[in-house]
Amino acid sequence: MFVRKWRNAASLIITVKSLNRPAVRETSKGLNVEDFVLLGLKRNHESEVWPNTYVFPGGTVDRADFSDKWLDVFNRRGPSATLDLNYLKLLTGEPRPSVLQSSSYDGNKRVPPELALRLTAIRETFEECGVLLGRPNSESLLAPLTANVVQVTDTIEWQARVRSNPLELLDLFIELDCCPDVWSLYEWSNWLTPTKEKRRYDTIFFLTKLDQEPVVICSPTEISEHRWATASEFLNLFTQQRINLLPPQIYEFVRLMEICYFGSLCRVLRKPELRMPLQTKLPCVQNAKDGIIILYPGDELYPKDPESPTETSDLSIEELERSAETVNRMSVDDENNVKVICNLKNFKIINWSSKL
């Protein structure tokens, strides 16, 4: 089905406003209060991919996500079905990364990638943590900003059935008289696995928000535990070496920490122009005198050929940072201190360090 060297995948960042325990953190500009939490899942120690690491729910695209039968599920909404699906086009941003282009797929063209990948994210989220995002067929679609969680009887049994055969998810939605709540998934970012990795993924990150924390039932074959925490709390746990995080998760936690307020996040979701462009991030590693720098598109040092061999510099991480006016990078020094900085034009400046 796939004609590219990366496996296409989708991930879902789930946010919930935290009324009970907002996190207060000190910054150079004073105190900031983070009033929303995110769901992190810890992959179990036997996982073939990133064991013992906290990730967002998600996984690879399956043929079932492009099945024509999904159109029948949406048609159960009645005459508004076509109009409702067309609404997805209003949620898209520019530029369109390869993972969201039909030319990246071989086969069925009736189900567009922007729908299929949302189905991937919804399916994988249910498989991994038992949270099913669905919207009753009787409910009209009024530009939903908040996702709807459907309660499922025998969740563990259905998780196993869907994991064994992804098309079983169709039957579950029909039984519940619902359809996948694809309208509440907003395009957030696009990440490519670096060249040196054996398993490579082209992953679209969606973001959604809920009114309250849903019941989480982790799949024991994939997930060992889950955690609701603010972005800064996840980063603090990482700094204290209590959890493992991957570079994309670190970068996204820093972005969300800087947004800070749930109301601000909602405004960003309503207006695509307030988000970072949906530019594909293929990390490029450069060796420095005292560590490594992971460069992202937009950084002055980002190579013209992002798949070129790793470069080595005689300069330190700090010297390389001072030598560039426009930066979008992550660095890891010889003492494992991590720093994320980004000052791309028209977007909020990011400057975070794990160094205590």
Side-chain angles (χ1 to χ4, degrees):
M1 177 179 178
F2 304 101
V3 296
R4 304 165 66 233
K5 54 188 173 184
W6 289 279
R7 295 186 67 186
N8 292 323
S11 188
L12 183 59
I13 303 173
I14 300 177
T15 65
V16 180
K17 185 168 185 178
S18 178
L19 299 175
N20 300 323
R21 54 178 189 88
V24 180
R25 62 184 176 88
E26 189 172 353
T27 70
S28 59
K29 298 179 180 179
L31 295 179
N32 274 355
V33 179
E34 291 173 80
D35 64 354
F36 64 91
V37 294
L38 305 101
L39 176 62
L41 304 179
K42 183 180 179 181
R43 302 195 66 81
N44 69 36
H45 68 282
E46 296 180 345
S47 175
E48 293 182 358
V49 182
W50 307 307
N52 296 318
T53 300
Y54 266 88
V55 297
F56 302 120
T60 55
V61 174
D62 190 273
R63 290 180 183 274
D65 303 325
F66 279 88
S67 172
D68 284 349
K69 294 180 180 179
W70 280 114
L71 300 179
D72 297 331
V73 172
F74 286 101
N75 284 335
R76 293 168 67 90
R77 289 182 59 80
S80 68
T82 300
L83 183 62
D84 289 348
L85 288 179
N86 285 338
Y87 177 73
L88 283 182
K89 297 177 181 178
L90 300 178
L91 305 180
T92 62
E94 296 293 341
R96 307 303 288 155
S98 295
V99 71
L100 287 172
Q101 295 179 13
S102 297
S103 58
S104 298
Y105 301 87
D106 208 9
N108 178 29
K109 303 296 184 183
R110 291 188 62 202
V111 177
E114 59 263 23
L115 172 58
L117 284 158
R118 284 173 167 83
L119 293 172
T120 300
I122 289 172
R123 173 178 55 77
E124 288 286 344
T125 297
F126 177 68
E127 285 184 29
E128 292 180 346
C129 64
V131 176
L132 185 65
L133 302 184
R135 194 160 292 274
N137 290 328
S138 59
E139 182 180 302
S140 62
L141 180 66
L142 296 173
L145 187 63
T146 301
N148 187 69
V149 176
V150 181
Q151 300 304 314
V152 179
T153 305
D154 300 325
T155 298
I156 296 176
E157 177 185 341
W158 274 106
Q159 284 174 298
R161 288 174 61 176
V162 173
R163 191 179 308 108
S164 176
N165 177 11
L167 282 175
E168 289 278 357
L169 191 61
L170 286 154
D171 296 331
L172 176 56
F173 276 110
I174 291 173
E175 181 176 301
L176 295 170
D177 195 24
C178 292
C179 64
D181 192 2
V182 293
W183 303 277
S184 64
L185 272 61
Y186 291 79
E187 297 170 5
W188 186 252
S189 59
N190 176 217
W191 289 86
L192 285 176
T193 309
T195 305
K196 65 182 182 66
E197 299 292 338
K198 292 182 179 179
R199 294 174 181 266
R200 303 187 68 185
Y201 301 92
D202 188 349
T203 306
I204 177 74
F205 281 45
F206 295 104
L207 188 144
T208 194
K209 77 179 196 72
L210 303 176
D211 285 331
Q212 59 186 12
E213 294 179 16
V215 175
V216 173
I217 302 176
C218 293
S219 166
T221 61
E222 299 181 71
I223 306 299
S224 60
E225 64 185 49
H226 77 280
R227 183 186 298 267
W228 292 99
T230 65
S232 64
E233 287 171 338
F234 275 111
L235 292 169
N236 288 339
L237 290 169
F238 170 75
T239 297
Q240 298 162 11
Q241 299 184 351
R242 293 170 58 187
I243 64 172
N244 296 325
L245 293 174
L246 298 166
Q249 277 70 27
I250 295 172
Y251 191 99
E252 297 302 346
F253 279 136
V254 172
R255 280 182 69 191
L256 290 163
M257 180 181 68
E258 292 297 334
I259 290 176
C260 197
Y261 296 106
F262 199 62
S264 299
L265 178 63
C266 293
R267 284 192 292 275
V268 169
L269 294 181
R270 289 190 187 99
K271 298 181 178 181
E273 64 272 16
L274 297 180
R275 303 175 223 160
M276 275 188 174
L278 200 63
Q279 184 177 26
T280 300
K281 291 184 179 66
L282 173 56
C284 295
V285 177
Q286 178 171 343
N287 294 319
K289 185 169 63 175
D290 56 346
I292 65 168
I293 296 175
I294 306 173
L295 301 168
Y296 302 119
D299 193 290
E300 285 184 16
L301 295 183
Y302 194 79
K304 292 182 179 179
D305 179 8
E307 298 212 48
S308 58
T310 300
E311 294 185 4
T312 299
S313 173
D314 293 330
L315 299 178
S316 68
I317 290 173
E318 186 176 349
E319 288 170 333
L320 286 168
E321 180 181 332
R322 290 201 304 261
S323 70
E325 291 187 7
T326 304
V327 294
N328 187 20
R329 64 182 66 174
M330 181 183 300
S331 62
V332 185
D333 67 21
D334 291 337
E335 296 180 353
N336 286 325
N337 295 307
V338 179
K339 186 174 184 179
V340 179
I341 52 175
C342 174
N343 64 357
L344 297 181
K345 187 178 180 181
N346 297 330
F347 292 95
K348 193 178 180 79
I349 293 175
I350 292 172
N351 192 335
W352 173 83
S353 174
S354 67
K355 191 171 183 178
L356 299 175

